[in-house]
Amino acid sequence: ANDPLGAGTLHGTAVIELQPLPPDVIASYLSDDGTDPRWQPVIDALVQPTPVAQVLRSPLYCWLAQDIYDPVRAGPSGRERNPADLVELGDDIAIEHRLMSGFMPSVYRNWDLSRGRWRQYSADAERWLVFIARYLQRRGRTDLAWWELSADLGQPVLASMAGLITGSLL
């Protein structure tokens, strides 16, 4: 009768819990098995109890760092970020903030820069994500049931959101 996770929780199902990553796995993942020297300051910081080592133990933050600092994703502008900046931040909250705030620009970096469209898509995506977060906050929820949105927001809004999400996956 007591179901803290909400109605319909599946009992007896497999659960996957991500564990902290060891330094050697982080180093191999970030530096492309040692072929990218830009990661050396970060790899050196992994063997000490540093803020960057602590943050990158999380699979999410490790993936974000690799994605955001990928030189291929720098696009035609050629302005790639330097991963050593993470070590220089020196504070786990600042490192987490840098990685989380760098995600949207990283995802939309490969759009058609010659037409300036990537900025608009990035701004639209950010606006919709803020809208969804506020929608969930007003409803006192943390889970998003997309099929319930049309009743609350209407079909045109839902279609616009679906287009944006689909566009970001391409």
Side-chain angles (χ1 to χ4, degrees), residues 140-154:
R141 297 175 63 175
T142 56
D143 61 326
L144 178 63
W146 62 267
W147 55 89
E148 294 174 358
L149 290 175
S150 66
D152 290 342
L153 306 175

Side-chain angles (χ1 to χ4, degrees), residues 69-122:
Y69 291 96
D70 180 357
V72 174
R73 293 184 66 123
S77 69
R79 287 181 283 146
E80 69 182 57
R81 296 176 174 194
N82 183 357
D85 294 345
L86 294 173
V87 176
E88 294 170 13
L89 289 173
D91 171 312
D92 59 339
I93 300 296
I95 295 166
E96 290 172 358
H97 183 269
R98 168 76 56 88
L99 293 174
M100 293 301 281
S101 64
F103 177 66
M104 291 301 289
S106 172
V107 169
Y108 290 95
R109 217 183 304 181
N110 285 334
W111 288 95
D112 183 3
L113 296 177
S114 66
R115 294 173 46 195
R117 294 180 61 188
W118 71 277
R119 291 174 209 236
Q120 183 61 41
Y121 286 130
S122 181

